[in-house]
Each structure stands twice: as C-alpha cells, then as structure tokens.
Amino acid sequence: MRVTGPGYRNIQKRLDRIMGVTRENLTGVRVVRAFGKEQDEIARFEEANSSLNTMQTHIGQISALMNPLTYVVVNLGIIAILYVGAREVDGGTFLSGDVVALINYMSQILVELVKMANTIVLISKSLASLNRISEILDTEPTMKFENTDRAFTDSAEAVRFDDVSLTYAGAGDESISEISFTAKQGQTIGIIGGTDSGKSTLVSLISRFYD
C-alpha cells in the first residue's frame, strides 16, 4: 500500500489529463481543423495515453505480486510444518493427525490471506479515488455571494448579465466583452455568432463552469 497508494493517485492525475485533452479536442474540433493542428493533437493525446499506460503497467505489476507472494509465504510455512512435524512425529511428540490438522489450518489461512491481498489492492485504488473526490468537494468557489439562498420565485428574471467580460488564463485578449442581457423565466434566447465568437464561453458562464 505504501508503494501502490501514491501510484494510484498518480494514475488518477494522468487519467484526468487524458480526459482534459479529449474534452478539448471534442469541444474545439473546428478550431483544430481550421488551423490544421490534427497531427499535433494526436501526438498530444498519444503522449498522455502512453504516460498513463506506463504508470498503470508499473503499478499493476506491483499489485499482481500480492497473490503469488502470499502463496509463497504460506507454502513455505507448510514446508516448515512438514519438516518440523516429521521430526516431532518420529520422536513421538506429535501425532501424524496433528501435522495434517496444522497443514489444513495453513490452507485456510492462505485463502483468507489471498482475500486480504485483493482487498489491499482495492483499498489502495479506493483511497486514491477518495482523495480526488475530496479535492473537488473541498474546492472553494472564486465568486462569493452575500445571499446564496435567493429564490427567483418573486422575480421574472432567470439570468441577468451586466457588462460581463471574460479573458482566459494566458490569453492576450478578451473572449467576450461587455455582454449585457436579461433572460426571463420561460423565455427562449438564441445566441448567434461565427466560430470562436464566444457562444460556448457565454453558455459556460451562465452555468458557472467559469467564475
């Protein structure tokens, strides 16, 4: 667990990276095609996928050692019982039935140890997943509201934007600038524009995927 625990956490992070690359390719497929970056995106995905496969293979090999090592340890114990038991039976201290009973007990212990080994692998995976879930649940929103319990039952407005602008991290210019509109309850609004005009960004802002 000391070795595989951090490894499984690393696997989750690399899996996140693959999901991020895939999501970016799907949502930005038109932009990728427009700039002829298909091969670059394929290479980026293959790099992330290769990194994940390498880590999964490494941790999988360590986890796979659990059952064989358990069998080795228990069977060495059985050999020791046969060796010592044979001498004790020969000396009249033990009965042959006692030796057979000890071997049966060791066989029962072996079954339970194999179960425990498999449980340790599952616990290592579960702890890694639990840490990832905890990171999401513990994330603090960047926007704070004085009254988060406000209900819209007394207002006709469902969404209102007042001079909203957004600049992506590392971008040189704003993706959307000074957007103002009001959407009333039950109202349908169309967002029209060309490729990369900020339609998806605006929708993401409404659902607060971006703060």
Side-chain angles (χ1 to χ4, degrees):
M1 288 183 70
R2 192 173 294 175
V3 176
T4 58
Y8 281 120
R9 286 195 292 272
N10 206 343
I11 285 175
Q12 292 294 335
K13 291 179 181 178
R14 298 188 186 196
L15 183 61
D16 285 348
R17 185 183 172 199
I18 284 187
M19 293 297 101
V21 170
T22 305
R23 185 175 63 250
E24 289 171 7
N25 281 327
L26 290 174
T27 56
V29 61
R30 292 183 178 179
V31 179
V32 172
R33 290 174 61 187
F35 288 92
K37 293 289 185 179
E38 291 91 343
Q39 294 304 317
D40 292 340
E41 292 302 317
I42 290 172
R44 195 159 70 103
F45 178 84
E46 288 179 348
E47 178 188 356
N49 190 47
S50 175
S51 176
L52 175 64
N53 284 338
T54 301
M55 179 57 69
Q56 282 185 322
T57 301
H58 176 64
I59 299 300
Q61 288 172 343
I62 296 175
S63 299
L65 287 174
M66 294 289 287
N67 284 357
L69 286 177
T70 305
Y71 277 99
V72 167
V73 170
V74 173
N75 283 313
L76 285 176
I78 291 175
I79 291 172
I81 290 172
L82 288 172
Y83 176 76
V84 176
R87 296 177 59 182
E88 296 298 325
V89 169
D90 187 54
T93 307
F94 268 20
L95 297 176
S96 58
D98 295 333
V99 177
V100 173
L102 284 173
I103 293 174
N104 286 334
Y105 292 149
M106 289 295 288
S107 299
Q108 292 178 17
I109 290 172
L110 172 61
V111 173
E112 302 309 318
L113 282 177
V114 169
K115 291 180 182 178
M116 188 178 74
N118 293 331
T119 302
I120 288 174
V121 174
L122 290 175
I123 289 174
S124 298
K125 291 181 179 180
S126 301
L127 288 175
S129 300
L130 178 63
N131 289 333
R132 300 296 289 154
I133 293 172
S134 298
E135 287 178 12
I136 295 173
L137 294 178
D138 294 339
T139 301
E140 292 290 336
T142 55
M143 294 178 68
K144 303 293 183 181
F145 297 96
E146 295 180 3
N147 183 10
T148 56
D149 298 326
R150 180 192 169 196
F152 286 95
T153 53
D154 299 330
S155 173
E157 295 180 359
V159 176
R160 183 174 71 244
F161 274 40
D162 291 327
D163 291 327
V164 174
S165 301
L166 178 85
T167 303
Y168 287 100
D173 201 0
E174 294 178 339
S175 296
I176 59 173
S177 302
E178 300 177 358
I179 300 294
S180 298
F181 72 93
T182 299
K184 298 182 179 179
Q185 293 185 17
Q187 185 179 21
T188 301
I189 293 178
I191 303 173
I192 302 172
T195 302
D196 271 354
S197 61
K199 302 186 299 297
S200 299
T201 300
L202 181 58
V203 173
S204 297
L205 284 170
I206 294 173
S207 52
R208 286 196 59 199
F209 289 143
Y210 303 125
D211 278 345

